């Protein structure tokens, strides 16, 4: 398992870090985004989708559960599992069709359905540290790959 750590002092820096991962993402990649409310998961997702090459508006799918962005280098399926109660809820919306397709999946609040994820995912943990400033974020990306 490999861990990469980044420090960000603004939303723009967080988006730029994420954009670099979007530029390198491959079909079938799954990025699980974890952190407290307001940590920057959606900001990370916005930067990531920009890195894929999508130029439209990117929002959190809190109420729709999943947003699809198809006009970039790869399709991006952006999930927000905050309102789900477990893996069964995710199965009911047909997540496998997206996770195992030719696109990339971004999943906010993956801990709500952790039992459905394959072993080869990227786990992105975003933490704030108020002693280092309101906008400071530590971003840790672990690859649970083979």
């Amino acid at each position: 398992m490999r861990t990469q750590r980044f420090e960000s002092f603004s939303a723009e820096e967080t988006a730029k870090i994420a954009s670099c991962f979007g530029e390198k993402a491959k079909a079938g990649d799954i990025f699980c985004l974890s952190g407290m409310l307001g940590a920057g998961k959606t900001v990370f997702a916005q930067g990531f989708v920009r890195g894929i090459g999508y130029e439209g508006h990117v929002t959190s799918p809190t109420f729709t559960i999943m947003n699809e962005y198809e006009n970039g280098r790869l399709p991006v399926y952006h999930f927000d599992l905050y309102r789900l109660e477990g893996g069964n809820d995710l199965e009911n919306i047909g997540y496998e069709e997206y996770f195992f397709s030719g696109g990339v999946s971004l999943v906010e609040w993956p801990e709500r359905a952790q039992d459905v994820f394959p072993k080869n995912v990227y786990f992105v943990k975003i933490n704030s540290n108020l002693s280092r400033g309101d906008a400071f974020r530590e971003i840790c990306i672990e690859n649970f790959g083979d």
Side-chain angles (χ1 to χ4, degrees):
M1 177 172 48
R2 184 173 160 220
T3 301
Q4 295 178 301
R5 286 183 167 71
F6 302 89
E7 291 185 348
S8 169
F9 293 90
S10 69
E12 292 79 16
E13 284 183 8
T14 297
K16 186 174 181 177
I17 291 165
S19 178
C20 292
F21 282 90
E23 290 171 4
K24 297 174 184 171
K26 301 177 304 304
D29 283 348
I30 300 172
F31 288 79
C32 295
L33 312 178
S34 184
M36 303 281 289
L37 279 171
K41 296 179 294 295
T42 300
V43 170
F44 187 95
Q46 290 167 336
F48 186 97
V49 173
R50 295 278 178 267
I52 291 283
Y54 181 81
E55 295 180 8
H57 190 61
V58 176
T59 61
S60 179
T62 301
F63 295 101
T64 59
I65 309 299
M66 196 268 293
N67 288 339
E68 197 168 334
Y69 304 104
E70 293 193 339
N71 293 329
R73 179 175 58 82
L74 295 167
V76 177
Y77 311 112
H78 181 194
F79 294 83
D80 186 325
L81 308 185
Y82 185 76
R83 300 199 180 286
L84 300 186
E85 293 186 23
N88 288 337
D89 287 349
L90 196 53
E91 286 179 23
N92 290 338
I93 63 170
Y95 78 95
E96 292 168 321
E97 177 183 337
Y98 301 101
F99 280 16
F100 305 109
S101 70
V104 176
S105 295
L106 297 174
V107 184
E108 295 186 39
W109 299 99
E111 51 278 353
R112 303 277 189 191
Q114 61 189 358
D115 54 323
V116 303
F117 294 103
K119 292 183 184 197
N120 190 21
V121 301
Y122 294 91
F123 186 74
V124 181
K125 177 73 174 169
I126 303 172
N127 295 307
S128 60
N129 182 341
L130 296 179
S131 69
R132 297 194 62 189
D134 289 345
F136 176 81
R137 299 294 185 267
E138 179 184 51
I139 303 166
C140 297
I141 301 176
E142 297 175 346
N143 181 4
F144 293 102
D146 295 327

